[in-house]
Amino acid sequence: MSRKYKIRDQERLYFVTFTVVEWIDLFSRQVYRDIFLDSLRFCQTNKGLDLCAYCIMSSHAHLILGRSGDQKLEDIIRDIKKFTSLKIIQTIKELQEESRRNFLIHHFSKAGNSNPNNSMYQVWQQHNHPFELNTEDKINRCLNYIHRNPVEAGIVLSPEEYLYSSAKNYAGHPEKLIDVILIE
């Protein structure tokens, strides 16, 4: 793996992207977005995750994150991906309303079987390409990119209109799904 995509400084903020295998539109259902948000909340409370920005799109999620504790950032990222993978697979199997069950299980199983790091299923692509945010310009560009993602996708007209994004937090709206540490 290229040194460019490693977390080298645990005290810095990083821009990361979690992408569903084959870019499957998994997060078109609220139940899966909620699993992802619950995992972030758990890591904030219990693992020292500093979440500064996020946006959950249909097939991926962008985050700006850091840490405030002893646990390494890459370990927190691993735990988020592991927990959400297990919980999402369980939910797919149990959710009566999931009309895509066979499709999702087939693709997640195929990805898991072709990856020696997994035993059965793989929900997330292996990489997350952490990008160190070591200048104010990099932070601002990534923050803008995250919040404009739903606008560029034609989902909303302004970033604050998108529910599954921290743009509401930054705009000072009281309706927010998860607390973030605002980057000043």
Side-chain angles (χ1 to χ4, degrees), residues 21-22 106-115 118 120-122:
V21 295
E22 299 182 34
H106 168 76
H107 286 278
F108 295 153
S109 176
K110 183 174 79 172
N113 289 329
S114 66
N115 185 339
N118 293 323
M120 290 189 67
Y121 301 105
Q122 181 175 339

Side-chain angles (χ1 to χ4, degrees), residues 89-142:
I89 293 297
Q90 175 189 356
T91 303
I92 290 169
K93 289 179 176 181
E94 295 173 357
L95 189 65
Q96 294 296 322
E97 303 84 43
E98 183 51 84
S99 59
R100 306 170 301 161
R101 179 179 298 111
N102 292 339
F103 169 83
L104 293 170
I105 293 297
H106 168 76
H107 286 278
F108 295 153
S109 176
K110 183 174 79 172
N113 289 329
S114 66
N115 185 339
N117 294 326
N118 293 323
S119 57
M120 290 189 67
Y121 301 105
Q122 181 175 339
V123 172
W124 299 107
Q125 291 182 16
Q126 206 66 35
H127 57 79
N128 52 55
H129 294 296
F131 179 72
E132 186 177 306
L133 302 178
N134 53 13
T135 68
E136 192 172 320
D137 180 59
K138 287 179 183 177
I139 291 170
N140 290 332
R141 280 189 291 129
C142 288

Side-chain angles (χ1 to χ4, degrees), residues 1-115:
M1 178 186 285
S2 167
R3 187 98 174 112
K4 178 180 176 184
Y5 294 117
K6 291 191 185 261
I7 294 175
R8 292 175 286 173
D9 186 344
Q10 294 291 325
E11 306 311 313
R12 295 276 189 187
L13 293 177
Y14 284 84
F15 170 82
V16 296
T17 300
F18 294 179
T19 307
V20 178
V21 295
E22 299 182 34
W23 289 84
I24 294 171
D25 288 328
L26 177 67
F27 295 113
S28 57
R29 290 201 188 276
Q30 179 179 342
V31 65
Y32 306 127
R33 294 187 302 257
D34 289 345
I35 289 169
F36 188 74
L37 287 171
D38 286 345
S39 181
L40 294 177
R41 285 186 199 98
F42 178 85
C43 289
Q44 285 176 309
T45 303
N46 299 293
K47 296 184 179 275
L49 172 66
D50 287 341
L51 179 64
C52 297
Y54 74 95
C55 181
I56 305 171
M57 299 296 284
S58 64
S59 62
H60 62 284
H62 296 298
L63 308 159
I64 294 178
L65 43 80
R67 62 150 198 157
S68 59
D70 296 330
Q71 196 159 14
K72 290 182 176 181
L73 193 51
E74 54 267 34
D75 292 343
I76 297 171
I77 291 170
R78 178 204 61 219
D79 291 349
I80 292 168
K81 288 176 119 178
K82 182 176 180 179
F83 171 81
T84 55
S85 293
L86 293 171
K87 186 69 174 168
I88 286 168
I89 293 297
Q90 175 189 356
T91 303
I92 290 169
K93 289 179 176 181
E94 295 173 357
L95 189 65
Q96 294 296 322
E97 303 84 43
E98 183 51 84
S99 59
R100 306 170 301 161
R101 179 179 298 111
N102 292 339
F103 169 83
L104 293 170
I105 293 297
H106 168 76
H107 286 278
F108 295 153
S109 176
K110 183 174 79 172
N113 289 329
S114 66
N115 185 339

